[in-house]
Amino acid sequence: LPGAKPRAEEALAIFRALGDLAGAARSLRRLAQIAWLEGRLEEAEPLAREAYASSLRAGAPAEAAIGLLVLGETLETRSKFSEAHSIARKSLALLSDLGYREYANQALSILGSIDMHRGRYGEARDLAERGLSLAHEEGPRYCVGYNLLVLGCLDLAEGMHDRAHRVLSEGVAVYQDIEQRNELSQGLAILALASFEREDTRAMQQHLSDSFQLATEWGVAFPLLWALPAMALFLADRGENERAVELYALASRYPLVAKSRWFADVVGNQIAAVAATLPAERVAVLEEHGRARDLKATAAELLTELRR
């Protein structure tokens, strides 16, 4: 990821100088994806919207359909779940009509993830199972891993911890095989949660260490939104309640964590129970400190701690 933003900005400038609206749309999409990977979620949304608008002006239906896909995924990270769902459905229909099967499968996968965060677990499972079947048949491999992670997350939320561990392990193996490091870091963080529920704290610590290491090495921030809540549970389990509350406050600074029903069900409610054992005034101070923390610097500190 280092150096990706300047290269995408340079490509955007060239396409604009040439009057190539479709090329500009592709560069804007890339910039939107880089922004959310780096944790600049508030910057990603306008870039994704501009990319879609540029593809419409170019009169390029395929670019517009892919632009909708990126916009839907970006809106999900901003916890604008209803709008994200509507846009992803529109993208799925357009991509299917155009015969872009792999992109259509990605849209289907994103729909399952959005429903998961909305707490619509039954609908999310139906979409993820359908998406997994299609991804096995048609690709891309990325969607095999993506749907496995969603299904594992659903198993966690519904208390099926052993199955969650098995399914998440399969998803992590896919991402290891295709060397997709952002999703691998995210998958390891979720696998840590499954290990926690199975009372395997040694495995949880190893998965968290691996997750933080990948995110730190590659300069990606999005997986940290999954790793930090898992780390908060790890700390609470060790009796470090104040640090757990502070760390979850940092993660909750991001709308995806703060407004997701899934995060609440799997982590947030447990941290709230921990916070309830502390004086309210102290909780307020801890949450303020957590929100003021630097995301990447905190991740580096936690990685050092986990490696001891």
Side-chain angles (χ1 to χ4, degrees):
L1 200 60
K5 183 183 177 186
R7 290 195 296 272
E9 289 174 334
E10 182 181 0
L12 175 61
I14 292 170
F15 284 128
R16 281 176 167 167
L18 294 171
D20 185 341
L21 292 172
R26 290 192 294 274
S27 294
L28 286 162
R29 286 203 309 271
R30 180 60 179 153
L31 284 167
Q33 291 170 321
I34 292 167
W36 69 256
L37 280 172
E38 292 182 341
R40 296 177 286 107
L41 304 184
E42 71 285 349
E43 296 178 33
E45 182 181 339
L47 286 166
R49 291 190 186 278
E50 188 181 355
Y52 175 56
S54 182
S55 63
L56 288 178
R57 290 195 300 272
E63 291 293 338
I66 298 169
L68 278 176
L69 178 65
V70 172
L71 178 56
E73 189 170 24
T74 303
L75 289 171
E76 179 192 9
T77 68
R78 297 281 286 152
S79 79
K80 298 183 179 181
F81 300 130
S82 294
E83 185 182 3
H85 197 271
S86 175
I87 285 174
R89 279 211 170 278
K90 184 177 179 181
S91 175
L92 173 61
L94 291 171
L95 291 164
S96 297
D97 288 345
L98 290 166
Y100 282 43
R101 298 303 306 162
E102 291 196 0
Y103 280 116
N105 291 346
Q106 288 186 44
L108 189 64
S109 301
I110 290 168
L111 281 167
S113 177
I114 294 168
D115 270 339
M116 179 189 81
H117 287 297
R118 294 203 295 179
R120 300 185 178 183
Y121 295 150
E123 293 93 325
R125 187 174 294 279
D126 289 344
L127 287 162
E129 287 177 347
R130 179 181 161 203
L132 181 60
S133 177
L134 287 171
H136 275 305
E137 294 173 8
E138 305 170 350
R141 289 285 312 283
Y142 156 83
C143 284
V144 173
Y146 193 112
N147 285 296
L148 285 168
L149 292 194
V150 171
L151 289 168
C153 283
L154 293 169
D155 290 337
L156 272 179
E158 294 172 347
M160 295 179 284
H161 303 139
D162 289 337
R163 189 166 83 174
H165 188 272
R166 175 178 57 78
V167 172
L168 290 166
S169 296
E170 291 177 18
V172 164
V174 170
Y175 286 126
Q176 286 173 329
D177 186 50
I178 63 177
E179 298 184 350
Q180 200 146 334
R181 294 173 179 85
N182 172 59
E183 287 79 4
L184 176 56
S185 178
Q186 177 185 339
L188 286 164
I190 306 168
L191 186 56
L193 289 170
S195 296
F196 174 80
E197 295 297 347
R198 299 172 83 216
E199 300 182 356
D200 188 348
T201 53
R202 180 174 294 183
M204 182 185 197
Q205 183 171 355
Q206 184 62 57
H207 295 322
L208 280 172
S209 177
D210 292 343
S211 176
F212 280 119
Q213 181 175 346
L214 279 166
T216 302
E217 282 180 355
W218 290 91
V220 290
F222 186 71
L224 299 178
L225 304 191
W226 305 78
L228 290 174
M231 186 70 188
L233 277 184
F234 180 71
L235 292 172
D237 187 59
R238 297 198 307 192
E240 299 185 52
N241 291 352
E242 292 198 354
R243 290 185 67 202
V245 170
E246 183 174 321
L247 201 58
Y248 196 71
L250 169 57
S252 298
R253 192 173 72 194
Y254 295 86
L256 181 64
V257 177
K259 298 182 180 180
S260 164
R261 168 70 181 279
W262 182 84
F263 272 109
D265 287 344
V266 176
V267 184
N269 293 339
Q270 295 187 63
I271 299 300
V274 168
T277 67
L278 302 172
E281 300 82 1
R282 183 58 181 160
V283 171
V285 171
L286 292 167
E287 290 178 341
E288 183 179 357
H289 287 170
R291 288 190 293 269
R293 274 182 167 271
D294 180 86
L295 184 68
K296 293 183 179 180
T298 300
E301 292 168 11
L302 293 172
L303 175 59
T304 299
E305 179 179 343
L306 287 163
R307 284 174 162 174
R308 288 176 188 154

